[in-house]
Amino acid sequence: MTATTDVPSGLDFRIGIDVGGTWIKGATINMSSGTPVGGVRHLRTPASGMVDEVADTLNQLIDELGPESLGHTGLGVGVAIPSIVQHGVAMSAANMDDSWIGLDVQAYLRERLGRAVCVVNDADAAGMAETHYGAGKDKHGVVLVLTLGTGIGSALIVDGKLVPNFELGHLEIDGYKAESRASAIARENEGLGWMEYADRLQRYLSHVEFLFSPDLIIVGGGISACSNEYLPHLSLRAPVIPASLENSAGVVGAALHARTV
């Protein structure tokens, strides 16, 4: 299955929500520009990570976003979750309760929230946002978007179409899971200098480039704010550039995905 990132122009609003292990972020998004209306709101993710408690928090967040919907009621909602998502069903759960696994989260949230809901993997959401509105806008061919954070999130977009659930953080490199060596948190935990980290990232990206031959690699996540410290030290065939949407990418991409319902 593929999901297109093409969105009709004109006045159009959706709600985007990005569920993380610590924070749940949400905004009403102007789909013409990909910009949040009134900024991105944050609510603490319930410590239990239980589905019911997260759904209650989503309801609260949507209520808070109501005044920013510019008179539009019943807006469709896109929800990005830290899970592999197949046909609305969560097949994994990162930093969330295991009760998510095997649940048709999309059907569940449609019933709990009483509105059209579309669920998407969080890295896929960020990738869709970057290729439609951000650093990958108007770029053709194979675009790989990586988010370097607690792990490594990845999204592959081919000629504007998403290949969902591209879990490249779990590739094995030199006997280790890639994200355990080349994620932002790995750099922090091991106290790596930027040159040492660039060497780790080079090893990982060289392998990924060999496997998938991307035309462009976009690096996001919180560490992208320091991209001038490590990106200039990488040597790859494909251009490697920093993401531009920063922490709003997942929210914007979730709203973008809501255009499919």
Side-chain angles (χ1 to χ4, degrees):
M1 290 184 64
T2 58
T4 183
T5 61
D6 294 331
V7 177
S9 60
L11 195 60
D12 189 10
F13 297 90
R14 293 292 187 279
I15 291 173
I17 297 176
D18 186 6
V19 178
T22 304
W23 294 99
I24 297 175
K25 299 179 291 185
T28 299
I29 304 297
N30 180 340
M31 305 308 300
S32 297
S33 60
T35 55
V37 178
V40 177
R41 292 176 177 262
H42 299 70
L43 291 177
R44 180 74 67 174
T45 304
S48 70
M50 297 286 291
V51 177
D52 287 348
E53 293 187 26
V54 170
D56 288 341
T57 305
L58 297 184
N59 245 330
Q60 179 184 343
L61 184 55
I62 291 169
D63 286 344
E64 291 186 9
L65 292 171
E68 298 172 357
S69 299
L70 305 180
H72 295 75
T73 59
L75 292 180
V77 179
V79 180
I81 61 175
S83 306
I84 295 170
V85 179
Q86 289 185 305
H87 311 291
V89 178
M91 307 303 291
S92 64
N95 301 312
M96 304 296 281
D97 186 75
D98 285 349
S99 60
W100 289 79
I101 301 174
L103 175 68
D104 189 334
V105 179
Q106 187 161 280
Y108 169 81
L109 290 180
R110 285 177 178 175
E111 182 177 351
R112 280 293 299 267
L113 304 180
R115 64 174 70 209
V117 175
C118 197
V119 175
V120 62
N121 169 267
D122 53 0
D124 286 346
M128 291 167 69
E130 283 293 340
T131 53
H132 191 82
Y133 300 110
K137 184 178 180 180
D138 299 324
K139 305 295 185 183
H140 302 289
V142 179
V143 178
L144 176 63
V145 181
L146 298 172
T147 57
L148 306 176
T150 304
I152 297 178
S154 57
L156 192 73
I157 295 91
V158 181
D159 291 329
K161 294 186 181 295
L162 174 73
V163 181
N165 301 309
F166 224 62
E167 296 285 330
L168 297 186
H170 296 277
L171 286 175
E172 184 176 304
I173 307 291
D174 299 328
Y176 298 91
K177 185 184 293 188
E179 63 183 12
S180 73
R181 302 280 288 170
S183 64
I185 198 68
R187 186 193 75 83
E188 293 177 12
N189 289 343
E190 296 185 45
L192 299 177
W194 288 114
M195 285 297 295
E196 292 176 290
Y197 181 65
D199 288 343
R200 293 269 187 98
L201 203 55
Q202 175 73 44
R203 176 75 183 93
Y204 170 62
L205 291 179
S206 294
H207 185 60
V208 168
E209 184 174 55
F210 175 77
L211 292 176
F212 302 106
S213 300
D215 296 296
L216 175 67
I217 300 172
I218 299 172
V219 176
I223 200 172
S224 63
C226 305
S227 60
N228 63 321
E229 299 283 357
Y230 58 91
L231 290 190
H233 303 297
L234 301 178
S235 178
L236 297 151
R237 295 191 306 275
V240 185
I241 63 175
S244 62
L245 298 181
E246 300 179 345
N247 287 332
S248 65
V251 173
V252 174
L256 188 58
H257 201 68
R259 289 287 291 125
T260 66
V261 296

